[in-house]
Amino acid sequence: MVWTTSLELEAGTDDVDKWYAQREKKAPINFGVSVGHIPVRMRVMHDPGTFLPTGDAAHREATTQELREIDQGMERGLKRGALAVGMGINYTAAATHDEILEVFRIAASANASVHVHLRHAGLKEPTTGLVGLQEVMADAVASGAPLHVVHITSMGLRTTPTLLEVIKGARSARAGRDHGVLSVHRGEHGTGIGDFR
C-alpha cells in the first residue's frame, strides 16, 4: 500500500477547521496544514491582501491588543489540529523580533515545529540571509521549538554555503544534547541537514 501526503506548512492558514473541511472526502491523499503567522496576522490587522499581506500586516508593528489576538489565533490553530506553525517573516517584515519569538514560544508549548521563510534575503548588511538565519536559530534555541528553514538557497543567494556552515556548526555544538530538527529546503525535494534546537 502506498500513502501520499500533501502538507502546507510554510504559509499555513488562519482557520484550521475550514481548511480541513474544504478537503474532507475530496482529496484522494492525506493532507495537513500549519497555523500560519501570515494569515493570522492579516486577519487580526484587517489586511486587504488575499494570500500575502499588502497593508498593515506587512508594513506596521502590531499593537499590544493585536499581538494578544495574533497569539490567540496561533494557539487556537494548534489546538484545532494544525500540525505546525508556518511563518514567512520576509512577508511580515514589520513584525518585531519580540513578536516572532513569542510565536516560537507558542509552537514550543504545543510541541510543534516552526517552518519559516527567513526575514532577509539581501547581500548587504544588515539584511542578509545570514541575519535572517541567526534570528530564527536564536528563537529556536530560546524557545525550544524545532525549526525547519525553507528556501535557504533563495534567501542565502551566493552566501548559501555560509548559511549551511552555520547550521552544521550549530549542530556540532549541540551534539549529544536534547535537540529538535533543523532541516533546510534547498529545492523541490528538500534536504534535511541535521539536528538543531
Side-chain angles (χ1 to χ4, degrees), residues 172-192:
S172 296
R174 302 283 303 168
R177 299 183 192 165
D178 178 37
H179 50 279
V181 174
L182 181 128
S183 56
V184 179
H185 184 81
R186 296 188 355 172
E188 279 188 58
H189 304 292
T191 302

Side-chain angles (χ1 to χ4, degrees), residues 4-15:
T4 304
T5 303
S6 176
L7 302 174
E8 168 48 65
L9 299 178
E10 182 183 354
T13 184
D14 66 329
D15 189 336

Side-chain angles (χ1 to χ4, degrees), residues 37 41 67 70-71 74-75 78 85 87 89 92 94-110 112 114 116 119 132 134-147 197:
H37 178 253
R41 195 172 209 274
L67 289 172
I70 290 167
D71 293 350
M74 301 303 293
E75 290 167 348
L78 289 164
V85 166
M87 301 185 83
I89 307 171
T92 58
T96 64
H97 296 282
D98 286 338
E99 178 180 341
I100 301 305
L101 176 58
E102 185 57 28
V103 172
F104 270 79
R105 288 178 176 146
I106 290 166
S109 71
V114 180
V116 62
R119 184 184 296 267
Q134 289 171 330
E135 174 186 18
V136 296
M137 287 176 72
D139 290 349
V141 168
S143 67
L147 171 64
R197 181 176 355 164

